Structure formats: C-alpha cells, structure tokens
Amino acid sequence: MRKKVVAGNWKMNSTIDEAKKLTSEVVGILSKEKQNDAVVVLCPPYPYLGMTRRDIGDSQISVGAQNCHEADSGAYTGEVSTTMVKGMGAEYVIIGHSERREYFNESDELLAKKVSKVLAADLIPIFCCGESLEIRESGNHLDFVKQQLTQGIFHLNATEMEKLIIAYEPIWAIGTGKTASSDQAQEMHKELRDHLATKFGDEIAEQTPILYGGSVKPANAVEIFGQPDVDGGLVGGASLNSRDFADIVKAI
Ligand code: 13P
C-alpha cells in the first residue's frame, strides 16, 4: 500500500499569531476526527518552523519547509540550509514549487542538487512538477512534466528514490479556483508513475506517493483523491483554513 499524504503549503502567509491559531485548530480537529492513516504535513514559512513543531506537540502531524538552499552553509545571505530546517524539527522539504521555478528562476539543474541535498540530510523531498496553461494547450504537457522528473530526480539511486514524494501541480490550477479534472489528474499521475518505472523499476514506481496540487478544496478532494494514482494532495489556499484543511485530510 502506498503512503497517503496531505501537505499544507502556507506559502508566504499568516502572522505569527495566525500561524499559532491555525496549528492549534488543525491539531484539535484532527485529533478528534481523523480516522485514516494519511500522513499530514504542515509547511509554514521558515520563521515559524520551530514554533509550529512545538505547537503540534505529540500529535501525529509533521512539519516541512517550503524550500532550502543547495549548499551546506556559507556566505549566502538570506538563505536557509537543510541542517537548519532539520534542526527546527522539519521532516519534509518542498522542492521545485512552480512559484520557486518561476519567480526565483530555479532551474531543473539546481533542483536536482537541492533534492540530493535534502535526502543527504535525511529529510523527505516533496518534489513538485507541473505545466503552464500554454504547455497544456499545446498538447505537450505529458512530455513536459516527464522531462521535469527526468531532469530533477533521475540522478537518484533506488534507496534515495524510495523516500521521495512527488507533487503534480498544474500551474493553471494553482490559486485559480480551477482544478484539473479527476481524469486529467489521473492521466498525468499514471503517466508519471510509468515514467518512474522506466528508470527505477515497477516496485519503486508503485510505492512512490504522487500528490495532486492546485485548488484542492473539501468539495473536490474526495473525487480527486479517489483516482487510483492520486495519493493525496499538496494544498495551498485551503490549508490556511483549519476546517477546510482537516476536511481535505479526512477526504483521503
Ligand atoms: P492552491 O491550493 O492555493 O491552488 O495552491 C496549490 C499549491 O501551490 C500548493 O503548493
């Protein structure tokens, strides 16, 4: 059985007080209502990582960072290393979010280095991929996203690959209220799993969680998560509302 995962990507949102309130509400609701074995990850902004980890206490929720630098340490003003996020209690790191690729010019080559660095620190990468509307409309989306995997993670060995989580996030569905249909999500996820199998073999491909991201809401989560190759979600906007986020977790 593949692991099911729901991760909340808070992006650059929330004051410290809002972050504390959100965490305590999510912990409170899930401790009463969660009945599945989905892995739940909260990815707050860097400054709140340690606080969020402490506020979660001993409930079964993990913390993840939204990014990290590819070097161990050094003169990189404003950057944050894997050792730092790990020291704050993070277990996961989102790598290659489309907002990092687009606004911070993160290339496939750089992301390949980041993925390796995250794994070397014994953290779990949530490796993001996904096409723009223009690419979707050109009909090249399947090849484009497969290429992102080839460039970003095909240098890994089998032991490393066994730890990785993939998140497919079509850019045209992020923050737009428009989701991929469950058929579109399933088509891409299946294609990505088959692509993983060509490099890492069927067993690893079968056990790699592939999450869907892009306007996941309580109202659409059941249908999207019901697809055979969709193993959970990477949730942006709806993860800032404790009730919505908990309902999405429960939809697994
Ligand atoms: P939304 O859920 O707000 O569309 O964001 C998705 C996302 O980018 C998660 O990483």
Side-chain angles (χ1 to χ4, degrees):
M1 263 296 273
R2 274 197 293 277
K3 200 161 59 172
K4 305 282 185 186
V5 182
V6 178
N9 175 9
W10 297 0
K11 307 192 180 182
M12 196 174 77
N13 290 301
S14 74
T15 62
I16 189 164
D17 291 341
E18 288 164 350
K20 278 190 98 61
K21 181 164 176 278
L22 180 56
T23 305
S24 93
E25 287 174 1
V26 168
V27 168
I29 301 174
L30 290 182
S31 64
K32 284 199 210 88
E33 299 179 15
K34 181 171 177 281
Q35 285 175 341
N36 58 35
D37 56 4
V39 173
V40 178
V41 186
L42 302 182
C43 302
Y46 287 137
Y48 308 152
L49 275 174
M51 174 188 85
T52 304
R53 180 56 270 167
R54 287 190 295 278
D55 288 350
I56 286 170
D58 54 12
S59 52
Q60 296 296 310
I61 297 176
S62 296
V63 162
Q66 297 174 16
N67 179 35
C68 68
H69 196 266
E70 69 279 14
D72 286 329
S73 63
Y76 301 103
T77 301
E79 288 294 329
V80 172
S81 72
T82 51
T83 318
M84 293 170 190
V85 300
K86 191 170 181 182
M88 291 289 105
E91 294 170 68
Y92 296 79
V93 184
I94 298 172
I95 292 293
H97 193 282
S98 59
E99 289 148 19
R100 300 291 321 167
R101 292 175 187 262
E102 186 179 348
Y103 308 139
F104 302 94
N105 298 317
E106 295 198 353
S107 64
D108 289 326
E109 199 184 359
L110 172 70
L111 298 175
K113 289 186 192 152
K114 290 192 177 195
V115 166
S116 291
K117 186 56 73 179
V118 169
L119 286 162
D122 207 15
L123 293 160
I124 300 173
I126 301 176
F127 181 80
C128 301
C129 54
E131 80 287 0
S132 64
L133 185 60
E134 198 184 353
I135 291 170
R136 165 76 47 177
E137 286 176 344
S138 75
N140 277 335
H141 48 289
L142 298 175
D143 284 342
F144 178 86
V145 182
K146 283 192 283 187
Q147 189 61 19
Q148 288 182 320
L149 295 197
T150 306
Q151 303 285 335
I153 61 175
F154 271 28
H155 64 292
L156 300 177
N157 62 39
T159 318
E160 292 173 319
M161 188 59 208
E162 277 171 3
K163 300 185 184 132
L164 196 104
I165 295 172
I166 291 172
Y168 167 59
E169 300 202 303
I171 298 170
W172 46 272
I174 296 179
T176 56
K178 216 177 175 184
T179 51
S181 69
S182 49
D183 287 349
Q184 286 173 322
Q186 171 56 23
E187 179 190 36
M188 180 64 82
H189 284 223
K190 173 82 173 66
E191 190 81 15
L192 296 181
R193 198 176 303 288
D194 290 348
H195 189 51
L196 291 179
T198 63
K199 170 73 183 170
F200 299 103
D202 288 345
E203 203 177 314
I204 288 181
E206 273 308 311
Q207 64 100 55
T208 302
I210 307 181
L211 317 184
Y212 170 81
S215 299
V216 177
K217 303 275 182 290
N220 57 32
V222 172
E223 190 181 341
I224 295 175
F225 296 169
Q227 298 304 306
D229 286 286
V230 178
D231 306 308
L234 181 55
V235 186
S239 74
L240 297 170
N241 178 296
S242 54
R243 185 67 263 171
D244 286 353
F245 184 66
D247 285 343
I248 292 168
V249 171
K250 288 166 67 183
I252 287 278

